[in-house]
Amino acid sequence: MFNTLSKWMTLQRLPTFARGMLAYGSAEAATRIVRLGSILIVARQISPTLLGFAALALSLFELVRVLTSVGIGQRIIAAKDYELSAICNAARRLFWAVCLSVMAIQLLVAAIAFSAFHKGEVAAMLAVLSGVYVFMPAGLVQIFLAMRDQRMAATARVAAIQNIADAALTVVLVLMWPSAWAIVLPKLFTAPIWLIEARKTYQWKPSKSIAPAPLAEFRVFGPAILGSELLAAARIHGDKLLVGALLGTEALGLYYFAFNAGLGITQSFVAACNLVLFPHLAKSRSDQIGNEFRYSFILGFIVLCPIVIAQAALAPYYIPVIFGDNWSQSVPYVALLACAALPLYAGAILGARYRALNTPFAETRLMAAATLAALIGLATGAQFSLAAACVGFGVGLSIILLPAAAFQLLIITKPNAATV
C-alpha cells in the first residue's frame, strides 16, 4: 500500500502536460499491442487491392466526419466557470444538429460515389458508416468537460477501449470474412462502446433552469477550428485519395499500409500532444503560456525523435518478419512516412498554443500552407513513383511547419512572452 501511495505521489509531482502524456502514452501502448496483432492478421489475409477499397471508404468517411469539428468542444474547454452550464446546454443542442447534418452529407457523398463514380461497394460502406453519427452527440459534452478538467487518464481510457475493441473485432471479422468490410464495419460496431465509456467520464446532465448560451458564443472558435480541422483532414486523408487517383488502387493499398505502419504510433502521439496541451495552456496564466509551450515542445520532441529514428531504421527488419514477405515492398514507404511525424508534431503543438492564445485563425493559416505544400509535394512526386510521393509529402510538411515552430520557440525569450 505504501509503495502504491509513493508511486501516486511521484506521478502527482509531474507537470500536468507530462501526466497527461503519460496517461495517453499508457493507453496507446495497450492499444498498439492489440492493434499490432490485428494488423499482422489483416496483412496476411487481405491483399493490397482489397485494402485499397477499405482505405478509400475510410478516407472519405474521415474527411466527412471532420465537419463535426466546429469548435464546440473547444468552447467548452475555454469556458469560464460562471458560463459553463449555459455553454454546455447550448453545446448539447449544437452537437446533435451538427452530427445529424454531417450524417446527411455523408449519405449524399455515398450517393455521388455510387451514381457518378460507379463505386457501389464504397458507397455502401459510407452509407453504413453514417450510423456512427447517431452515437456521437450524447457523449461529446462529457468528453470535453473531462478534458476541461484535465482528466486525461479518463479520456485516454475511452479512446483505448474503443480502439482495442475495434482491433479485436477486425481480427474476428477478417478471419471469418476476408474483405474490405471486415476493416470498415468495426468502426460502426464500436460506436456504442465509445458512447457508454464517454458518458462515464463525467457526470453531467443539461440544466433546465439555465438558458442555453447564444450561438454567438461559439463564433470565436467555430470557423477557425473547422478550417484547421478540414485542412488537417485534407492532409491526412486527401493524400490517400490523390495516391489512388494518380497511382491506382494497389498503390493506394501499399501507401495506406505504409502510412499506418510508419505513422500509426507517432500519429497517435502527435494527436495526443494537441489534446493534452490545449487544456493545459488554456488553464495557464497568460504570462506562463510561453514557457509552458517551450517546455512541452522540447519534452515531446525528446520522446518522439528516438521512436521515429527506430521506426525508419528498423523497417527493413520488422516489416517482413511481422507482416509477411508480401509487404516487403512497402519498407521504403514505411521508413519515409515515419519521418513525417516530426513536422506533424510541430504543427500539433503550435495549434494548441494558438488556440490557448485565442488566435485560432493563426493555426488555420498555418495548416492551410502546410496542407497545400504537402499535397503539392505528394502529387509532384507521384508523377515519378510512390517513393517520390512519400518524399514530397514529408518535405512539403517540413518546409512549412518546422520553420514556424522554430520561429515560435525563438520569440519566447521572456517568462511573460505570449506573442503570436
Side-chain angles (χ1 to χ4, degrees):
M1 180 177 177
F2 178 75
N3 289 337
T4 303
L5 181 61
S6 299
K7 289 178 183 177
W8 181 84
M9 290 177 69
T10 303
L11 287 175
Q12 289 302 105
R13 292 195 190 103
L14 288 172
T16 304
F17 176 72
R19 290 203 307 271
M21 287 311 304
L22 183 61
Y24 269 90
S26 302
E28 188 60 32
T31 299
R32 285 296 154 186
I33 291 171
V34 177
R35 185 161 287 178
L36 182 62
S38 72
I39 293 174
L40 173 61
I41 295 171
V42 168
R44 292 177 182 273
Q45 296 288 324
I46 292 183
S47 68
T49 302
L50 285 177
L51 192 58
F53 281 113
L56 181 56
L58 290 175
S59 296
L60 288 170
F61 168 60
E62 294 295 343
L63 281 170
V64 174
R65 187 164 66 167
V66 79
L67 295 174
T68 60
S69 303
V70 290
I72 303 170
Q74 285 73 17
R75 184 63 182 91
I76 292 174
I77 292 172
K80 306 297 183 185
D81 290 341
Y82 68 86
E83 62 180 354
L84 184 60
S85 293
I87 292 292
C88 288
N89 284 350
R92 175 175 170 270
R93 295 182 178 182
L94 284 172
F95 278 134
W96 275 105
V98 168
C99 287
L100 292 178
S101 299
V102 173
M103 182 180 181
I105 292 171
Q106 184 161 313
L107 290 171
L108 178 61
V109 171
I112 293 171
F114 177 76
S115 59
F117 297 97
H118 309 292
K119 299 286 186 182
E121 192 167 17
V122 172
M125 291 176 184
L126 285 172
V128 168
L129 285 172
S130 67
V132 169
Y133 302 110
V134 176
F135 298 96
M136 289 174 61
L140 287 171
V141 172
Q142 288 87 340
I143 287 290
F144 285 108
L145 281 171
M147 291 176 67
R148 182 178 183 273
D149 283 357
Q150 300 187 58
R151 289 163 53 185
M152 296 305 172
T155 56
R157 185 177 63 249
V158 174
I161 289 172
Q162 184 186 19
N163 287 332
I164 289 171
D166 185 333
L169 188 55
T170 299
V171 168
V172 173
L173 287 177
V174 162
L175 291 175
M176 294 173 59
W177 182 25
S179 68
W181 282 96
I183 301 172
V184 170
L185 285 176
K187 311 299 177 189
L188 174 63
F189 292 161
T190 57
I193 297 174
W194 175 88
L195 176 58
I196 292 168
E197 293 301 321
R199 291 178 69 87
K200 290 180 183 177
T201 61
Y202 200 100
Q203 297 301 313
W204 174 83
K205 290 183 179 179
S207 177
K208 296 181 180 179
S209 61
I210 298 177
L215 293 180
E217 290 292 337
F218 296 85
R219 67 186 175 190
V220 173
F221 284 101
I225 297 297
L226 178 59
S228 296
E229 295 295 333
L230 279 171
L231 290 165
R235 185 185 67 247
I236 295 170
H237 304 289
D239 60 336
K240 299 172 187 65
L241 299 180
L242 273 177
V243 169
L246 296 173
L247 296 172
T249 306
E250 184 175 355
L252 173 58
L254 285 169
Y255 182 85
Y256 185 77
F257 172 83
F259 193 94
N260 282 280
L263 271 171
I265 296 174
T266 48
Q267 184 104 315
S268 300
F269 176 85
V270 166
C273 285
N274 182 280
L275 288 172
V276 172
L277 186 58
F278 171 51
H280 174 60
L281 293 181
K283 290 282 185 179
S284 302
R285 297 199 315 264
S286 58
D287 61 343
Q288 295 177 328
I289 289 178
N291 278 345
E292 291 291 339
F293 166 78
R294 180 170 52 193
Y295 168 80
S296 302
F297 187 97
I298 294 170
L299 176 64
F301 195 79
I302 290 171
V303 172
L304 183 62
C305 265
I307 298 174
V308 170
I309 293 170
Q311 274 193 291
L314 299 176
Y317 305 100
Y318 68 81
I319 293 295
V321 171
I322 296 176
F323 301 106
D325 290 333
N326 57 320
W327 291 100
S328 296
Q329 56 186 319
S330 70
V331 165
Y333 318 133
V334 171
L336 290 169
L337 289 173
C339 299
L342 296 176
L344 287 173
Y345 166 76
I349 295 292
L350 283 172
R353 170 172 161 80
Y354 288 138
R355 294 180 188 188
L357 292 173
N358 282 324
T359 56
F361 278 108
E363 179 191 7
T364 307
R365 292 192 294 270
L366 179 67
M367 288 300 107
T371 299
L372 185 62
L375 294 183
I376 288 175
L378 183 141
T380 303
Q383 306 303 315
F384 303 96
S385 67
L386 183 55
C390 295
V391 171
F393 180 76
V395 169
L397 291 174
S398 299
I399 62 175
I400 301 297
L401 296 176
L402 292 181
F407 176 75
Q408 288 296 316
L409 289 170
L410 285 173
I411 66 172
I412 302 171
T413 55
K414 296 180 181 179
N416 62 346
T419 341
V420 180

